[in-house]
């Protein structure tokens, strides 16, 4: 009888340690799942960032500057707007506004993710996850059932962000050594990247297709109109982006059924204190 009591007391005493160990193993499992899902995203980022590095090189950035810029601006369109604006000697205000407008969709994605957080999730984790929101990271995050586990996102970001930043640096280095004609040819890859972004959704949605075609025509017209053509390219982009997106949102808003988030799984509530 004494042996049984001692065994029970030992089990109760070790219970917190067992829970801590199991909790740590579970966190590690989720972290490695994030790294697994973030690897293909990071490899794709590396290829795109390499092309962006060519643009950064044309804007006069060093490999270290390109790495830092990419690390704090994990967005292909936003980074392209940043580098081209710098190359065009745009003002700080223009660069800030155009980057904000181009990356505005991340505000919407972050707002959607707030509905998937456990209410007990600390603000610091919400901040870091918001910092790392991209189209692809948002996709793999929102696809997981239940509440968002920050550890999963940290695993994905640990792989994706360094590859994104490293790709930009290597693109700048390659641009410094490659002949001018080769650099110009590699810059064409960016146009392919943007076509890959707009063509698939345009093929599925006639509204998006019309908006894209209108934006092409309006952008070209703005370079020819007497007064508007005097504005910088960045300012014209800001005006057209806000104007066209606002008109499309008013005329053809997204149905509410298409914006509903999946319900969280009550059995999956990862909270990090």
């Amino acid at each position: 009888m004494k042996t049984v009591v001692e065994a029970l007391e030992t089990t109760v005493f070790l219970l917190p340690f067992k829970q801590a160990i199991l909790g740590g193993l579970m966190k590690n499992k989720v972290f490695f799942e994030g790294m697994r899902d973030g690897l293909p995203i990071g490899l794709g980022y590396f290829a795109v960032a390499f092309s962006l590095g060519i643009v950064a090189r044309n804007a006069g950035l060093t490999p270290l500057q390109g790495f830092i810029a990419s690390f704090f601006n994990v967005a292909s369109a936003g980074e392209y707007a940043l580098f081209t604006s710098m190359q065009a000697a745009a003002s700080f205000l223009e660069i800030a506004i155009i980057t904000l407008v181009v990356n505005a969709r991340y505000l919407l994605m972050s707002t959607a993710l707030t509905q998937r957080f456990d209410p007990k999730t600390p603000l610091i984790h919400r901040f870091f996850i918001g910092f790392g929101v991209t189209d692809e990271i948002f996709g793999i995050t929102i696809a997981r059932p239940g509440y968002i586990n920050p550890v999963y996102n940290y695993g994905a970001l640990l792989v994706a962000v360094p590859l994104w930043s490293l790709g930009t640096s290597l693109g700048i280095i390659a641009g410094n050594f490659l002949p001018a004609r080769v650099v110009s040819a590699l810059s064409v890859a960016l146009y392919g990247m943007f076509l890959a972004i707009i063509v698939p959704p345009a093929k599925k949605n006639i509204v998006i297709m019309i908006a894209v075609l209108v934006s092409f025509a309006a952008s070209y017209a703005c370079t020819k109109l007497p007064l508007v053509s005097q504005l910088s390219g960045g300012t014209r982009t800001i005006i057209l982006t806000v104007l066209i997106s606002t008109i499309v949102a008013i005329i053809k808003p997204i149905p509410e059924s298409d914006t509903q988030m999946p319900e969280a799984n009550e059995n999956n509530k990862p909270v990090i204190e």
Side-chain angles (χ1 to χ4, degrees):
M1 183 66 178
K2 184 178 179 181
T3 304
V4 175
V5 172
E6 290 177 348
L8 289 173
E9 290 177 348
T10 304
T11 303
V12 173
F13 176 75
L14 293 177
L15 183 58
F17 298 97
K18 291 180 180 179
Q19 291 177 341
I21 293 173
L22 291 176
L25 292 175
M26 182 58 67
K27 289 180 181 179
N28 289 336
K29 178 178 181 295
V30 174
F31 182 80
F32 287 122
E33 287 177 355
M35 293 185 66
R36 177 200 63 196
D37 296 341
L39 180 59
I41 293 175
L43 293 176
Y45 283 176
F46 181 86
V48 173
F50 188 88
S51 299
L52 284 170
I54 302 297
V55 181
R57 179 259 185 187
N58 295 335
L61 272 71
T62 65
L64 178 59
Q65 291 171 334
F67 185 94
I68 295 174
S70 292
F71 186 87
F72 289 103
N73 188 10
V74 191
S76 56
E79 195 164 313
Y80 178 77
L82 169 65
F83 294 152
T84 53
S85 298
M86 293 174 63
Q87 188 175 359
S91 66
F92 289 132
L93 180 61
E94 283 183 328
I95 293 175
I97 294 176
I98 192 171
T99 304
L100 175 64
V101 171
V102 171
N103 292 337
R105 69 186 187 278
Y106 297 131
L107 297 175
L108 301 178
M109 293 181 188
S110 298
T111 301
L113 290 179
T114 61
Q115 309 304 309
R116 296 287 302 277
F117 275 112
D118 188 308
K120 299 179 182 179
T121 302
L123 179 62
I124 186 65
H125 293 295
R126 297 171 183 260
F127 174 82
F128 282 121
I129 291 178
F131 166 77
V133 169
T134 66
D135 300 276
E136 295 78 15
I137 299 297
F138 173 81
I140 63 174
T141 302
I142 212 70
R144 289 176 65 86
Y147 286 122
I148 292 174
N149 191 331
V151 174
Y152 174 81
N153 289 69
Y154 295 156
L157 293 173
L158 182 65
V159 177
V161 174
L163 285 174
W164 170 254
S165 304
L166 183 61
T168 304
S169 294
L170 294 181
I172 295 174
I173 294 173
N176 290 331
F177 290 99
L178 295 175
R181 291 184 179 181
V182 177
V183 172
S184 178
L186 287 174
S187 299
V188 178
L190 281 172
Y191 296 99
M193 177 191 71
F194 284 113
L195 287 175
I197 292 174
I198 64 176
V199 169
K203 291 172 64 177
K204 297 178 181 179
N205 192 318
I206 186 65
V207 176
I208 296 178
M209 180 183 294
I210 294 174
V212 169
L213 295 176
V214 168
S215 66
F216 286 164
S219 180
Y220 176 76
C222 285
T223 62
K224 303 298 181 182
L225 294 175
L227 296 177
V228 183
S229 61
Q230 302 302 317
L231 300 174
S232 66
T235 302
R236 292 198 301 267
T237 301
I238 294 170
I239 295 173
L240 288 176
T241 301
V242 174
L243 184 62
I244 295 175
S245 60
T246 301
I247 293 174
V248 173
I250 294 174
I251 296 177
K252 193 68 175 179
I254 299 177
E256 185 177 353
S257 59
D258 294 344
T259 61
Q260 291 180 349
M261 304 297 298
E263 295 183 359
N265 184 355
E266 293 297 325
N267 295 323
N268 185 13
K269 297 184 177 181
V271 179
I272 300 181
E273 300 297 341

